[in-house]
Amino acid sequence: MRLLSYYLEGRRFEWLITIAMLWLAVATFVSPQILRASAFQWIALVISPWFTACCLFAIGWARLVGLLLNGHQVRGRRVGPMIRAVTAAACAVMWVQFDLALIQLSISQGFMSPGVPFWSMFVLGELDVAYRVVANGRTS
């Protein structure tokens, strides 16, 4: 239980988003229509669902590695926080794309999609993670 607490302490948001990313990546690999049949159809017009799934999986996997390496040293350097900061910034860019797709849908339908506030907050949450990791220079 102590080991689990060590990995989760102060990083629950990152763990939840990482699991969601990997889950969506696998679901999109299995059924690419997920993106085409949802509000994210705007993303599928520019980026293929397969490429989106690959990005989700790669960034999610890198983030998982960063979370697991957090606090550990590799060749005398703590790489976990650096990986976490980079993947948080990459996630913010990805979530902006999802948010913009929902904003585009909102404009075309004449009212805001209920997902806009959530994706906007995901972007801010990711930027906060990246900032805290870099600003603190520690494993928080």
Side-chain angles (χ1 to χ4, degrees):
M1 189 61 154
R2 183 174 246 174
L3 182 63
L4 182 63
S5 180
Y6 169 78
Y7 282 111
L8 291 176
E9 189 64 36
R11 295 177 285 278
R12 286 179 184 88
F13 173 80
E14 292 174 81
W15 277 103
L16 291 172
I17 293 296
T18 300
I19 292 166
M21 288 176 72
L22 293 171
W23 186 0
L24 181 58
V26 169
T28 304
F29 280 132
V30 171
S31 180
Q33 300 87 332
I34 288 172
L35 292 182
R36 289 191 188 109
S38 72
F40 303 121
Q41 61 188 309
W42 301 104
I43 293 172
L45 291 174
V46 180
I47 303 169
S48 74
W50 186 84
F51 184 76
T52 302
C54 286
C55 287
L56 284 165
F57 188 79
I59 296 169
W61 189 257
R63 184 176 226 174
L64 179 68
V65 169
L67 284 164
L68 292 173
L69 287 177
N70 201 56
H72 300 288
Q73 291 194 358
V74 175
R75 294 185 181 185
R77 301 192 90 184
R78 291 184 13 231
V79 295
M82 183 177 58
I83 293 170
R84 287 177 48 227
V86 169
T87 57
C91 287
V93 170
M94 194 175 320
W95 303 154
V96 163
Q97 302 307 308
F98 281 69
D99 200 25
L100 289 174
L102 288 175
I103 290 169
Q104 177 64 36
L105 175 68
S106 298
I107 291 168
S108 68
Q109 69 187 9
F111 57 92
M112 187 175 74
S113 166
V116 170
F118 290 95
W119 289 101
S120 298
M121 290 301 105
F122 290 165
V123 172
L124 293 178
E126 296 289 6
L127 293 175
D128 177 61
V129 167
Y131 172 77
R132 282 186 301 114
V133 170
V134 171
N136 292 339
R138 56 192 175 112
T139 61
S140 63

